[in-house]
Amino acid sequence: MKLTISNLSKTYPNGVKALDDVSLEIPTGMFGLLGPNGAGKSTLMRTLATLQEADSGTVTLGDIDVLKDKGSVRKTLGYLPQEFGVYPRMSAYAMLDYIAVLKGVYQASERKELINALLEKVNLYQHRKKNISGFSGGMKQRFGIAQSLIGNPSLIIVDEPTAGLDPGERNRFYNLLAEIGENVIVILSTHIVQDVRELCRQMAIIDKGKLLFSGSPDDAISSLHGKIWEKSISKDEMDSHSKTHRLISSKLVAGKPLIHIYEDADPGNGFRSSEADLEDVFFTRIAGLA
Ligand code: ADP
Ligand code: MG
């Protein structure tokens, strides 16, 4: 099974081009869709989830025409939207039971077995009788995964699932996602580089609706080998350095800016070579430098 996106474009009525001729092949396993806020990730996710129309292009999932045959996609889709909306004052168990009925699991005993297994899987069994509205961010996201897994989907879409989670919650969530399996397509959309680094063997980077990279994180990182240079500077050196070098990122380390620049050869000027990482890839691609 494979998801194939070809020349997908979407312009909103206000003129924003959210998807600009995106073509992408997504194999089974965990796939990371990385991009800054406003890149077009949610637009793409909603289009794949059949909730929104594209202007042009095609998408196929195996032999399903995703944009035309929405019913077939929905039968095999698990979706965790970025905004889950209002969390009902309903217990986790009751809500899963309700969703399972909607998804066509009509037999009560089958439903009970399924829901208990899912609650165990996402580590919410002991909280099954509590209202979802009172759950922590991490618990809500794990609940979201449980509901998305009902009906054995072959395509699972999770849109920015780790935003707002604390480090412990994020780790638990990573472990859960990593377990979901190799035989389904899982698309994880995120602006957090670490999400992709830890979970995904294949990835894409998008910004302003355009595809900037697709491939493996390792390949992306190797392509920058020997081209990333770093230097710790003072705050008032920032201006001059960003004028004379191709700055890709700056972060404060103990209150002092540590800058990364992109250069084919040693720039001198006190820079030292830095081992490229996925964050360098992200910023280099977004800046259009590689
Ligand atoms: P991301 O999920 O990567 O943050 P989105 O797909 O939400 O990106 O948004 C992409 C661009 O489209 C942004 O500029 C956003 O403001 C715009 N946009 C998103 N939804 C709408 C909409 N319903 N109407 C108009 N513009 C929209
Ligand atoms: Mg989004």
Side-chain angles (χ1 to χ4, degrees), residues 79-144:
Y79 177 49
L80 176 57
Q82 182 170 357
E83 310 287 346
F84 205 67
V86 180
Y87 287 85
R89 256 191 245 148
M90 199 173 178
S91 75
Y93 190 98
M95 186 69 190
L96 288 177
D97 193 57
Y98 176 72
I99 296 170
V101 172
L102 291 183
K103 286 200 181 177
V105 189
Y106 297 126
Q107 213 197 329
S109 59
E110 187 191 341
R111 235 171 24 245
K112 187 173 173 190
E113 202 174 312
L114 169 71
I115 293 166
N116 283 332
L118 284 172
L119 285 163
E120 291 278 4
K121 189 180 182 94
V122 301
N123 211 359
L124 286 176
Y125 186 78
Q126 84 246 43
H127 302 295
R128 67 192 180 283
K129 292 177 183 155
K130 292 185 191 150
N131 282 347
I132 305 162
S133 56
F135 279 4
S136 71
M139 289 162 78
K140 281 178 180 160
Q141 291 306 63
R142 283 184 279 130
F143 173 83

Side-chain angles (χ1 to χ4, degrees), residues 6-276:
S6 306
N7 308 104
L8 201 65
S9 290
K10 168 74 181 180
T11 303
Y12 285 109
N14 62 1
V16 172
K17 194 156 205 173
L19 295 175
D20 189 355
D21 202 29
V22 172
S23 296
L24 197 53
E25 274 210 356
I26 303 184
T28 54
M30 191 77 69
F31 187 92
L33 180 73
L34 183 62
N37 288 328
K41 303 182 298 295
S42 292
T43 300
L44 181 56
M45 301 296 92
R46 285 194 302 264
T47 308
L48 300 177
T50 74
L51 297 173
Q52 183 175 319
E53 304 285 335
D55 297 333
S56 55
T58 57
V59 181
T60 56
L61 173 65
D63 46 25
I64 303 172
D65 182 331
V66 172
L67 304 184
K68 292 212 176 93
D69 192 1
K70 298 191 170 78
S72 300
V73 181
R74 287 173 191 165
K75 279 194 194 118
T76 192
L77 171 75
Y79 177 49
L80 176 57
Q82 182 170 357
E83 310 287 346
F84 205 67
V86 180
Y87 287 85
R89 256 191 245 148
M90 199 173 178
S91 75
Y93 190 98
M95 186 69 190
L96 288 177
D97 193 57
Y98 176 72
I99 296 170
V101 172
L102 291 183
K103 286 200 181 177
V105 189
Y106 297 126
Q107 213 197 329
S109 59
E110 187 191 341
R111 235 171 24 245
K112 187 173 173 190
E113 202 174 312
L114 169 71
I115 293 166
N116 283 332
L118 284 172
L119 285 163
E120 291 278 4
K121 189 180 182 94
V122 301
N123 211 359
L124 286 176
Y125 186 78
Q126 84 246 43
H127 302 295
R128 67 192 180 283
K129 292 177 183 155
K130 292 185 191 150
N131 282 347
I132 305 162
S133 56
F135 279 4
S136 71
M139 289 162 78
K140 281 178 180 160
Q141 291 306 63
R142 283 184 279 130
F143 173 83
I145 288 295
Q147 65 78 26
S148 79
L149 291 175
I150 295 173
N152 273 328
S154 57
L155 172 62
I156 298 173
I157 294 174
V158 290
D159 193 358
E160 301 263 7
T162 66
L165 301 190
D166 70 35
E169 287 178 328
R170 177 164 299 170
N171 275 335
R172 277 192 291 278
F173 195 73
Y174 283 165
N175 290 334
L176 173 61
L177 276 183
E179 265 178 30
I180 288 180
E182 294 287 292
N183 301 322
V184 294
I185 300 171
V186 184
I187 307 177
L188 166 79
S189 125
T190 183
H191 66 276
I192 300 167
V193 175
Q194 186 202 354
D195 288 355
V196 176
R197 189 67 190 127
E198 298 216 1
L199 291 170
C200 303
R201 260 187 290 147
Q202 293 291 317
M203 66 175 290
I205 298 176
I206 67 167
D207 191 24
K208 300 189 179 75
K210 285 201 170 73
L211 183 75
L212 303 178
F213 170 82
S214 79
S216 74
D218 287 341
D219 286 349
I221 292 168
S222 317
S223 74
L224 290 183
H225 185 72
K227 297 179 178 176
I228 303 297
W229 307 84
E230 67 175 18
K231 184 182 176 183
S232 176
I233 60 172
S234 66
K235 278 179 188 153
D236 38 308
E237 287 176 302
M238 194 62 166
D239 245 16
S240 62
H241 278 75
S242 58
K243 277 185 195 124
T244 47
H245 297 286
R246 290 187 278 184
L247 190 70
I248 55 176
S249 68
S250 151
K251 62 178 154 213
L252 290 178
V253 177
K256 262 186 107 183
L258 176 71
I259 60 171
H260 279 202
I261 64 166
Y262 176 85
E263 213 69 65
D264 284 330
D266 189 346
N269 194 17
F271 280 93
R272 58 183 177 275
S273 178
S274 167
E275 198 68 56

